[in-house]
Each structure stands twice: as structure tokens, then as C-alpha cells.
Amino acid sequence: MSDQLLSVAKGAKGFMPEDEGQALYEAAFEAAVGVPGPLVEIGSYCGKSAVYVGAAAREAGRVLFSVDHHRGSEENQAGWEHYDPSIVDPDTGLIDTLPFFRKTISAAGLHDFVVPVVGDSITVAANWSTPLCFLFIDGGHGEEPAWNDYRSWSRKVAPGGTLAIHDVFENPADGGRPPYEIYREAISSREFEETSERGSLRILRRLG
Ligand code: SAH
Ligand code: MG
């Protein structure tokens, strides 16, 4: 990944440490050169992770679809842990991260390789039939949104393709449970095997 893209990723708002972003980029590139199909990310926020995955898509000649309703997760709302008042649209009082996302992707020069899909993850999933080379789940981290994302998107990963899950914490003291629970479910379903980890990022390969 170029220094220019790295500095755009570093400057974007978000919760993706640089070493995990690099690991995400490497996993996405490997999947995209080895398996047909597009890449999908659930949870665009302000585009930080999309720069890493989008860079891999560009280098492999693929496209990343980044899905988000851009209204924030529960944990982004006022009074919660990850609240940032600067992402609230003053006209509506609602979170709107889409303008930040667009700025990040433009600054990275990735607009031809990263397509924003603005809508609810489950609605998009219900209408999505193209098998994926790479899926990154980093949407809502509550019980219901995390399980919904896992159940509706994970089976769309092509055999040999990659499922990446963020914010997986083995120790409950380090963070919420749902991302860890869906990661455990992916392993125990025997549909995926773990190939690597970096920080709270888990990389799994689809079997079969
Ligand atoms: N991957 C980003 C961070 C994503 S934060 C990064 O590393 O930079 C989680 C995002 O999930 C938020 O932007 C929120 O709006 C989105 N989200 C939560 N629930 C969603 C749902 N049901 N459909 C679409 N997006 C959702
Ligand atoms: Mg995350």
C-alpha cells in the first residue's frame, strides 16, 4: 500500500488501528487475486477501513461495495461510548457519515474501486446474490445487528473466499460479546477455518 493511501487512512475518523488495517489489506488482496467476485464491507463509517480494503480491490482489479445506512450504530449515538458530535448533521440532528466517507475515498483516489451502498445491511443482503471473494463484517456490534449481519451475509462468501470480522475480543473486559460470538459460530459451523489474526481482527477462510 502506498504511503499516500496510508496517510489518508490514518487521517480518517474511525476505529481501525494501523496494524489491523494493514492485515485487512493483505487478507483482502490475497482473497481478491485468488477467488472471483467483488468485495463487500459491512460498516463504512467514515471510510477508514474502506481505504485499506479498497486499495486491495484496486490492486487486484476488483471493486469493493461498502454498505452502511450512515446513521451510526447504537454505540455511536449521543451518550454512548463512541459518540462523536462532529458527525451529526445540524439540520436533522441525525448522524450522517456519508459526507466524511466520500471525502476519505476521494482523497484516496479510490472512487472507481469503492462503491458506497447506502442502506440497511439486511435489506441489501436480501437482494444480493453475487458470491463474494471477501467479506468484512464491522457493522453494528449489538447482539441483533451482529447476528443479522453474520446470518445474512456469511453464506455469500464463495468457497475459498475470506470472511474478516472486526472487534473480536476473547476477554469480555476488552469489549462487547457479539463480534466474538459470531466468530465462534463461524468456526464451530465448520464452514470456515481461521487463517490469521491481528489485534481484534480475525481472518477466516470459507471451506467447501
Ligand atoms: N469499518 C469502519 C467502522 C464501522 S462503524 C472502519 O473501520 O472505519 C459501524 C458502522 O456500521 C456505522 O457507521 C453504522 O452506521 C453502521 N451500521 C450499523 N448498523 C447497520 C445496519 N443495520 N445497516 C447498515 N449499516 C449499519
Ligand atoms: Mg471495528
Side-chain angles (χ1 to χ4, degrees):
M1 234 178 116
S2 71
D3 287 347
Q4 189 253 336
L5 285 196
L6 269 182
S7 86
V8 172
K10 272 200 233 177
K13 290 175 185 292
F15 323 102
M16 174 64 60
E18 194 184 335
D19 65 325
E20 295 179 27
Q22 289 269 13
L24 189 64
Y25 159 79
E26 282 159 26
F29 180 73
E30 200 185 315
V33 294
V35 177
L39 300 83
V40 162
E41 155 177 89
I42 311 300
S44 323
Y45 197 60
C46 300
K48 197 187 199 69
S49 55
V51 172
Y52 292 106
V53 182
R58 175 169 69 187
E59 284 168 34
R62 299 295 176 82
V63 171
L64 165 66
F65 293 90
S66 182
V67 180
D68 201 311
H69 50 40
H70 287 281
R71 293 301 188 203
S73 304
E74 194 176 53
E75 54 271 22
N76 303 127
Q77 307 300 325
W80 289 72
E81 192 188 346
H82 290 295
Y83 179 58
D84 174 354
S86 71
I87 60 173
V88 175
D89 177 344
D91 292 339
T92 60
L94 300 175
I95 287 176
D96 185 5
T97 48
L98 182 57
F100 296 88
F101 180 83
R102 293 190 75 101
K103 266 187 203 157
T104 302
I105 297 310
S106 295
L110 286 171
H111 36 268
D112 289 339
F113 305 93
V114 179
V115 178
V117 179
V118 183
D120 180 69
S121 153
I122 303 313
T123 308
V124 178
N127 292 279
W128 186 285
S129 53
T130 308
L132 308 173
C133 67
F134 183 84
L135 171 66
F136 177 44
I137 297 185
D138 192 22
H141 289 3
E143 188 87 29
E144 207 183 304
W147 279 100
N148 280 344
D149 284 342
Y150 177 74
R151 291 203 177 103
S152 50
W153 283 100
S154 61
R155 67 188 56 167
K156 300 184 194 295
V157 178
T162 296
L163 167 65
I165 306 176
H166 199 221
D167 302 305
V168 170
F169 299 108
E170 250 122 272
N171 181 351
D174 295 335
R177 301 320 285 152
Y180 175 72
E181 289 165 5
I182 64 171
Y183 152 75
R184 290 304 320 166
E185 172 59 26
I187 304 283
S188 56
S189 73
R190 295 167 185 259
E191 287 188 34
F192 294 90
E193 67 178 11
E194 184 164 346
T195 55
S196 65
E197 62 170 73
R198 182 80 55 89
S200 73
L201 181 69
R202 296 292 177 280
I203 307 292
L204 313 176
R205 182 187 302 114
R206 177 91 195 250
L207 301 168

